[in-house]
Each structure stands twice: as structure tokens, then as C-alpha cells.
Amino acid sequence: MDKTSPLSPEIPSPAYICPFDQACSYLDAAGKELKLDQGLLEILSNPRKVVTVSMPVKRDNGEILVLAGHRVQHCDVLGPYKGGIRFHPAVTLREVSALAMLMTWKCALLGIPYGGAKGGIAINPKTYSTNELERISRRYISELIKDIGPSVDIPAPDMGTSAREMAWMMDTYSVNIGNAVPGVVTGKPLSIGGSLGREMATGRGVMIIVREALADKGKSLEGTRIAIQGFGNVGGAAAVLLHEAGAKIIAVSTGSGGVFAENGLDISEVKAYAKENNRKILGFPHAKPISNAELLTLPCDVLIPAALENQITEENVNQIQANLIVEAANGPVTLEANQALEARGVTVLPDILSNAGGVVVSYLEWVQGLSYLFWDEEKVNSEMESLMVKAYRKVIEQSQMRKISPRLAAYVLGVGRVAQALSDRGLYP
Ligand code: NAD
């Protein structure tokens, strides 16, 4: 794909940070470190398939809405494509392409036999009724029916989608194929072949990475001061599990703002408050209100950005006080900010490692579905934990051996495995 051509109707502002260019920069750096052949690098810089469908959908008032639905399949050299579907107003084809590429490296890094993909629709799901969201989800999957399937491309939830959307998508695919095909999506409800442990998986993976990184510094979770941006699927689960493990969660936030407590928040109380207040936590009575910008620069031991991309940038990087940043969201630290943090000796554990718990349990869900044998939650969690710890250890080992940052080490491992497979398979024809 031409990195400079406009892939979507967005009009970049001067402050615009292109996620696809960022993803290609990390790939280039890994390629350089691995001394990759230029031709291989060129193949890996381009998504294999980019699909944008025009989706007419009827609103509840009868009005017809035409939405653009994207699916980008980056590379399937290791196995079927795998990646989430995002419903968020900021979705663009460039962002989806970047996230698809990240999924390729993430799956390879974790040693799971998938290639990377991503999908998305630029909508704010909060402004649609449940019936409208069902029609959007079903139309999206029916438009893409020839491009997905349990051995082709397996979608999963991402921002703005959940088990509910996966159930509609699985049903739409199955009705069109003529039989139930649970393996077409992961992150499904348990009633139709979902896996125990999937809901908390990404947050649990984040907790495991924080725990391992602290242990390497001779510390434990007990009493460690942690700030978390985002209190959704990932940030919320990470907060619960880290709190249970003894960490002090001093601040959490949602899109409308956050809360701070010097001596740590009672996360179960914050959760209950969010449940009662339409997922907002601003106003939680036992803490001080705090903005998202303030949360990022709090004095703390660990900072976990678990909301959106491009949150730690050149603008605020000098105010960041944490010594360990664990990227729970995709791409929350920009390239420039990452360089500045590395220069200051701050450890940044990259998204393709830290938030991989979700895709690992998606893989375990797929394996259980294919083998018609379902595991208890303990087994799911322990299989996931062993893959996460193994990947973390390999990243640290590479980083020390090559004297490179953990981020570059993670890319070297992921890109290296895909490049090796590509060169072993050879080019057709
Ligand atoms: P989510 O929609 O469940 O939660 C997102 C959270 O971020 C919410 O609390 C929301 O209020 C908050 N938020 C939104 N805009 C914000 C803003 N401007 N500032 C601060 N907070 C804001 O989404 P999620 O599934 O938790 O995903 C979060 C991130 O993690 C995304 O980058 C996603 O790609 C990544 N991720 C998710 C999974 C998964 O399994 N869900 C797996 C891997 C990576």
C-alpha cells in the first residue's frame, strides 16, 4: 500500500499522527535489526487484502444510512487471519490497516498460528439503538461473507463491540452457510461456544505482564502504585485483577474523566458506581476528580494506558513520571514519545506483548470449538498465562541479547518468525 496516498476520506490535521506510518516505522526498524531482505520487507509492509464495503442500513425512524465497513487482512503466512472489529467514530482505513499489521506480529510473537486482520466501522455505537446495532453488525458480516470463515479469517470483539455483536455475526454467517459455524468468530457468549476466561483475558494478560516486569526489578504487585487510563473491557479487568493481587490503583478514567485517590481506590466500589452511572466514574464519591491528561502524568510506579492510541505524545512525554509503562491499548505511545521515554530509561512494554491475552484466549476458544471439548476456567487461564510468560521472557532475553528496547525486541521476534515462514514457504508462482 502506498503509505502516502489517502486511504480514507479523513482530512489530516497538522497534528495528525498516521497509525499506518507508525506501524511501518516499527516494521522497518525490526527489518533493519534482522537485516531482512528488502523484498520480504516490501511484502510485509503491505496488507494482503483491503476490503471496504458500502453498507446501507435502515435506522429505526426509516431513514437510510450508508456506512463504510472495513476489513483489512495483513498476512496469513502462519495461519488464518485473526483480529477484532471496532465500532468507534475515529475508525479509518489507515488505522484498521495499522491494527491488522500489529495483529500479525502479536500472533507470531505469542506463537499462535494466525495472521493479522482488523475490521471497523466509523460509528459511535452509543448513538444507535440495539436494533440498529444488530442490523449494522449483520449487514457488515453478510457483506464480508466470502472473506471470512473459521479457516480463513476469524473476527473478534474490539472497542465498541462485545460478545453480543459476535453472537449476531456468528448467527448471520451460519444462517447464510446453512449450518451453525461457531468457529467463525471468537469472543462469543458461552451459550454458543464462547470460552470461559475470555471476558477478563486481555486485562489478565496485562496483570501478568506487570507482575513479571516488577519481579524483574525485584518488586511485587503488593503496594505498587498504578494509574490506569480507560475502564472498559481491558482497563476495567486489569484494574480488578491488579487490585485483587495487592496493587494500589491510585487512578482510573473513562472518556468523560477519571478519579484519583492517593491511598488507592476500592476497585469493586468504582465498578459498582460505573454500573449504576452509565459507565461513568467521574463523580465517584470516595476520590478526587481528575482529567485524562492529569492521570497520565501522575507520580506512580506503573502507568497503564488502556483506552485509545496516541495518548502519550511529544506534548506530554516530559511530564510522564512512571518508570514502567505497560501498553494495554493499541498504540497509546507515539513513536517520538517512545524514543524520548527509552532515552530516559523508562521501560515501555509494547502493545503486541502486553495486550495479547485477548487473542491468546480467542485462540484457545477456537481450539476448544474445533475439538468440541470445553475446558474449565482454570485451565484456560493457566494455558494463557504460560504463553504470556513465555513471550515476555523471550522479549526480555532478546532485548538484553541485542541491547535493544523491549518494543524493538518484540517486533524482532514477531517479524522474524513471519519472515522466516514466508521465506520457507517461498513465493507462488
Ligand atoms: P472499551 O470500549 O471496552 O473501553 C475503552 C475505555 O476507554 C472506556 O472506559 C472508555 O470510556 C475509555 N475512553 C474512551 N475514550 C477515551 C478518551 N478520549 N480518554 C480516555 N479514555 C477514553 O474498549 P477495550 O476493549 O477496553 O479496548 C481498549 C483498548 O485495548 C483499545 O486500544 C483496543 O484496541 C485494545 N485491545 C482490546 C482488546 C480486547 O480484548 N477488548 C484486546 C487487545 C487490545
Side-chain angles (χ1 to χ4, degrees):
M1 182 183 297
D2 174 1
K3 291 177 212 168
T4 55
S5 74
L7 289 169
S8 62
E10 66 192 305
I11 302 165
S13 68
Y16 174 76
I17 301 167
C18 173
F20 187 68
D21 288 349
Q22 295 238 337
C24 288
S25 300
Y26 289 131
L27 167 62
D28 289 344
K32 220 176 185 178
E33 181 68 27
L34 288 161
K35 300 187 177 57
L36 270 195
D37 172 83
Q38 196 51 40
L40 276 185
L41 202 55
E42 193 59 35
I43 296 175
L44 297 175
S45 304
N46 291 276
R48 179 133 181 256
K49 195 167 191 178
V50 178
V51 185
T52 296
V53 293
S54 154
M55 311 182 341
V57 180
K58 207 172 254 183
R59 294 211 71 160
D60 291 343
N61 63 7
E63 186 192 324
I64 289 175
L65 194 67
V66 182
L67 299 168
H70 307 296
R71 185 75 182 165
V72 175
Q73 297 170 333
H74 174 252
C75 174
D76 67 345
V77 70
L78 291 175
Y81 297 106
K82 184 90 192 79
I85 294 171
R86 183 177 282 200
F87 287 0
H88 189 276
V91 162
T92 64
L93 191 50
R94 275 179 172 262
E95 181 194 61
V96 177
S97 304
L99 293 169
M101 186 189 277
L102 293 193
M103 280 302 289
T104 302
W105 317 140
K106 190 185 293 185
C107 294
L109 171 63
L110 269 291
I112 54 181
Y114 286 140
K118 202 80 181 184
I121 307 176
I123 52 166
N124 178 356
K126 287 187 196 136
T127 59
Y128 293 90
S129 71
T130 303
N131 285 335
E132 288 170 339
L133 288 171
E134 178 169 356
R135 288 197 287 276
I136 292 169
S137 302
R138 288 184 182 279
R139 182 70 194 221
Y140 175 77
I141 241 44
S142 66
E143 292 287 353
L144 290 169
I145 211 136
K146 293 198 177 115
D147 296 296
I148 61 165
S151 54
V152 182
D153 181 354
I154 309 138
D158 193 74
M159 275 177 90
T161 57
S162 64
R164 180 184 68 171
E165 284 74 16
M166 294 307 113
W168 292 331
M169 291 182 186
M170 177 268 188
D171 182 68
T172 305
Y173 185 85
S174 300
V175 168
N176 277 277
I177 295 294
N179 54 278
V181 189
V184 67
V185 293
T186 59
K188 303 178 289 291
L190 287 176
S191 61
I192 51 170
S195 176
L196 290 166
R198 175 62 183 87
E199 215 179 310
M200 301 285 278
T202 309
R204 184 175 296 281
V206 170
M207 181 273 285
I208 291 166
I209 296 298
V210 175
R211 186 194 67 201
E212 295 298 303
L214 288 172
D216 276 354
K217 293 176 191 280
K219 295 180 183 158
S220 77
L221 282 170
E222 192 67 44
T224 291
R225 293 163 61 78
I226 302 181
I228 305 179
Q229 185 199 40
F231 200 62
N233 257 324
V234 181
V240 167
L241 295 167
L242 286 162
H243 178 67
E244 277 173 15
K248 261 189 193 163
I249 310 298
I250 58 162
V252 291
S253 66
T254 68
S256 52
V259 290
F260 164 73
E262 180 63 38
N263 294 322
L265 296 155
D266 182 327
I267 293 299
S268 42
E269 281 184 9
V270 181
K271 274 229 119 167
Y273 183 87
K275 201 171 168 191
E276 277 168 26
N277 292 279
N278 199 19
R279 289 190 249 167
K280 286 202 179 104
I281 55 176
L282 195 62
F284 175 67
H286 314 294
K288 288 187 193 150
I290 188 172
S291 70
N292 267 293
E294 287 166 330
L295 180 143
L296 295 171
T297 59
L298 280 175
C300 59
D301 302 308
V302 185
L303 175 62
I304 305 181
L308 300 174
E309 45 276 301
N310 301 333
Q311 295 302 296
I312 302 176
T313 65
E314 276 178 300
E315 301 291 308
N316 62 359
V317 69
N318 290 332
Q319 285 114 56
I320 303 292
Q321 301 194 56
N323 276 320
L324 172 62
I325 299 177
V326 176
E327 291 188 326
N330 284 312
V333 180
T334 65
L335 194 65
E336 294 74 15
N338 188 65
Q339 282 162 354
L341 290 165
E342 281 175 12
R344 266 172 44 197
V346 176
T347 306
V348 184
L349 294 173
D351 44 12
I352 60 170
L353 170 69
S354 311
N355 69 26
V359 73
V360 169
V361 175
S362 272
Y363 164 61
L364 299 175
E365 176 179 332
W366 183 71
V367 167
Q368 292 170 77
L370 292 180
S371 59
Y372 298 95
L373 185 65
F374 290 89
W375 308 339
D376 61 25
E377 192 165 353
E378 215 173 294
K379 178 159 165 78
V380 175
N381 290 346
S382 102
E383 293 283 338
M384 186 267 270
E385 176 155 356
S386 101
L387 285 172
M388 291 296 290
V389 172
K390 194 165 143 197
Y392 171 79
R393 290 273 151 246
K394 286 230 174 283
V395 166
I396 298 306
E397 193 186 288
Q398 276 290 317
S399 150
Q400 289 169 349
M401 201 176 78
R402 291 180 179 266
K403 299 192 175 29
I404 55 178
S405 67
R407 183 187 303 279
L408 185 52
Y411 274 79
V412 161
L413 284 164
V415 172
R417 284 176 185 161
V418 177
Q420 182 63 50
L422 197 56
S423 104
D424 287 345
R425 278 181 59 164
L427 272 194
Y428 173 82

Coordinates of all heavy atoms in Angstrom, one line a residue, residues 419-426:
A419 N 8.7 -13.6 8.8 CA 9.7 -13.5 7.7 C 10.2 -14.9 7.4 O 10.4 -15.3 6.2 CB 10.8 -12.5 7.9
Q420 N 10.6 -15.6 8.5 CA 11.1 -17.0 8.3 C 10.1 -17.9 7.6 O 10.4 -18.6 6.7 CB 11.5 -17.6 9.7 CG 12.1 -18.9 9.7 CD 13.4 -18.9 9.0 OE1 14.3 -18.1 9.3 NE2 13.6 -19.8 8.0
A421 N 8.8 -17.8 8.1 CA 7.8 -18.7 7.5 C 7.6 -18.3 6.0 O 7.4 -19.2 5.2 CB 6.5 -18.5 8.3
L422 N 7.6 -17.0 5.7 CA 7.4 -16.5 4.3 C 8.5 -17.1 3.5 O 8.3 -17.6 2.4 CB 7.4 -15.0 4.4 CG 6.9 -14.2 3.2 CD1 5.4 -14.7 2.9 CD2 6.9 -12.7 3.5
S423 N 9.8 -17.0 4.0 CA 10.9 -17.5 3.1 C 10.9 -19.0 3.0 O 11.2 -19.5 2.0 CB 12.2 -16.8 3.6 OG 12.9 -17.7 4.3
D424 N 10.4 -19.7 4.1 CA 10.3 -21.2 4.0 C 9.2 -21.6 3.0 O 9.4 -22.6 2.2 CB 10.0 -21.8 5.4 CG 11.2 -21.7 6.3 OD1 12.3 -21.5 5.8 OD2 11.0 -21.9 7.5
R425 N 8.1 -20.9 3.0 CA 7.0 -21.2 2.1 C 7.4 -20.9 0.6 O 6.9 -21.5 -0.3 CB 5.7 -20.5 2.5 CG 5.0 -21.2 3.6 CD 3.7 -20.6 4.0 NE 2.7 -20.5 2.9 CZ 1.4 -20.2 3.1 NH1 1.0 -20.1 4.3 NH2 0.6 -20.1 2.1
G426 N 8.1 -19.8 0.5 CA 8.5 -19.4 -0.9 C 7.4 -18.6 -1.6 O 6.3 -18.5 -1.0

